[in-house]
Amino acid sequence: MEWLWLILSVVGLGLLWLLIIGMEKLTQRLKEHDEIRKVTAKNIAKRTAEAEAEFMEQQYAKANAKDFIEHADFEEDSEKLKEAIDTLSSEELVHSMAKRVFGATEGTDGITAKQSAFDQVKPKKVLAKGDSIAPVKVKSAEKPALSKSEQKMLKKIKQGD
């Protein structure tokens, strides 16, 4: 029986040793992956910063080109005009030239209804008479002549929505 316990303890120690070796290899592999992940994160952050800087430079160059096309005299500096045309896309170039020729565009945000045609028509009092058996239905003069949906639409128009 003692031999059995001795053999089981040796086998247990062997399994414990294999478990320890396996854990060391696992931690080493996790450390390597963590280092690789850190390096990759640094590279991504570096490339992102470079791309953002390049994008900001392009936006600054486009803003300068738009400003030149919209406000500068073309006869004085033809080289700068060529650079500005090369810098802008065709759509941006067309917008800049249109702004130069026609001036700044105005949106429709400032257009609102100050007064409605319905405000000009005042309600009239009416007297209804009839000889039939059915009574005549008449709206009172205090009630508006518009339906509720028309009143809501008129209110929205007045508010400018």
Side-chain angles (χ1 to χ4, degrees):
M1 194 73 171
E2 293 175 4
W3 289 101
L4 180 65
W5 285 111
L6 181 64
I7 293 173
L8 286 176
S9 62
V10 170
V11 170
L13 286 174
L15 289 175
L16 185 62
W17 180 73
L18 287 175
L19 182 66
I20 290 171
I21 296 290
M23 290 299 288
E24 285 179 2
K25 287 184 178 182
L26 181 64
T27 55
Q28 183 180 5
R29 194 177 324 153
L30 288 174
K31 284 180 183 178
E32 289 172 0
H33 287 293
D34 192 37
E35 289 296 322
I36 291 171
R37 199 175 309 119
K38 285 180 184 178
V39 169
T40 304
K42 286 180 183 178
N43 287 342
I44 290 172
K46 181 181 174 184
R47 286 186 293 171
T48 303
E50 289 173 358
E52 286 178 354
E54 184 179 328
F55 177 74
M56 293 305 290
E57 287 176 11
Q58 287 176 353
Q59 293 300 331
Y60 181 72
K62 284 184 178 185
N64 285 342
K66 285 180 184 179
D67 184 55
F68 179 79
I69 289 176
E70 291 171 8
H71 303 292
D73 186 15
F74 294 152
E75 295 174 1
E76 292 178 6
D77 197 2
S78 63
E79 289 298 320
K80 195 167 183 180
L81 176 63
K82 289 178 184 177
E83 280 182 34
I85 291 172
D86 291 339
T87 302
L88 296 176
S89 67
S90 59
E91 185 176 331
E92 292 168 334
L93 180 63
V94 168
H95 284 293
S96 296
M97 288 302 294
K99 197 177 226 182
R100 179 182 179 98
V101 173
F102 300 116
T105 58
E106 291 184 18
T108 57
D109 296 337
I111 301 172
T112 57
K114 302 288 185 208
Q115 196 173 18
S116 171
F118 296 116
D119 291 340
Q120 303 299 321
V121 179
K122 301 295 180 196
K124 298 178 182 178
K125 291 187 177 185
V126 203
L127 182 62
K129 292 182 181 180
D131 295 331
S132 67
I133 299 171
V136 177
K137 293 183 182 179
V138 179
K139 285 187 177 180
S140 68
E142 291 82 34
K143 290 186 179 177
L146 302 174
S147 68
K148 287 186 180 182
S149 62
E150 290 172 334
Q151 290 174 5
K152 286 181 183 178
M153 182 176 63
L154 181 61
K155 186 178 180 182
K156 285 186 178 182
I157 290 172
K158 284 182 181 178
Q159 291 173 350
D161 288 341

